[in-house]
Amino acid sequence: MQRPTIFVLNGPNLNTLGTRRPEIYGAETLADVEARVRRRADAAGFGIEFFQSNHEGELVEKIQQARRDAVGIVINPAAYTHTSVAIHDALEYAETPTVEVHISNVHAREPFRRHSYVSPLAKAVIAGAGTLGYEFAIEWLADHLRLQHTA
Ligand code: CA2
């Protein structure tokens, strides 16, 4: 039987993770993050669809797909966090438990990073925990989904 799937979605420029600004984003590449997230999800009994795009519409389409194909969403919308009503609306449509992740502490940086169009749709928000935040998000979702099933 196929395991329930969590979508892990990454916004623009996160494909360059590990190549610059290690003081803010650490030294890991997105492929390293994917491997760690897969291990953590696997241990909790979930499959992962890991996706990165530099295009807003592609992220919107993936979020729409989550309504049908995912039991949870982990999303680091990157710069679209602060600009995208389209991603906000797609998450509303998806009606899928969502955790918003930021590698850096967006509240300790430029003021424009403090506002998120995604947070109102997120069940939990993790910021400033580095790439470990993705693993915390999987752990939280696994717990949340288990509780939902036993309720
Ligand atoms: O802290 C985060 O995870 C962010 O979502 C990352 C975004 C930024 O726009 C958000 O405000 C906070 C930037 C992603 C760009 O990724 C880079 C990777 C390597 C070097 C520079 C940027």
Side-chain angles (χ1 to χ4, degrees):
M1 208 176 68
Q2 222 197 322
R3 293 179 311 169
T5 302
I6 295 172
F7 279 13
V8 182
L9 310 180
N10 296 279
N13 297 308
L14 284 165
N15 55 313
T16 69
L17 201 65
T19 64
R20 60 200 175 92
R21 315 279 327 249
E23 72 287 2
I24 297 180
Y25 298 113
E28 281 195 325
T29 65
L30 199 60
D32 296 330
V33 176
E34 177 174 357
R36 284 212 282 134
V37 159
R38 279 192 188 285
R39 267 199 301 276
R40 182 69 75 124
D42 197 51
F46 292 90
I48 289 292
E49 185 160 334
F50 199 91
F51 180 80
Q52 188 276 331
S53 179
N54 295 324
H55 304 278
E56 190 175 22
E58 286 184 2
L59 290 159
V60 166
E61 281 168 8
K62 226 14 177 195
I63 294 165
Q64 289 178 2
Q65 191 196 330
R67 181 181 171 104
R68 191 182 64 234
D69 296 337
V71 293
I73 298 172
V74 174
I75 185 165
N76 182 348
Y80 288 144
T81 309
H82 319 297
T83 63
S84 181
V85 177
I87 287 177
H88 170 102
D89 288 351
L91 285 167
E92 202 165 57
Y93 167 79
E95 289 186 324
T96 305
T98 296
V99 182
E100 177 184 352
V101 172
H102 298 286
I103 298 166
S104 65
N105 179 358
V106 283
H107 299 287
R109 300 180 62 191
E110 303 96 322
F112 69 82
R113 294 188 203 275
R114 287 190 202 136
H115 178 261
S116 167
Y117 281 97
V118 170
S119 295
L121 280 313
K123 294 254 184 229
V125 181
I126 300 166
T131 52
L132 201 54
Y134 285 83
E135 290 189 64
F136 295 156
I138 296 290
E139 208 61 49
W140 186 88
L141 265 178
D143 201 59
H144 175 75
L145 294 167
R146 262 195 301 271
L147 287 176
Q148 263 191 345
H149 279 285
T150 52

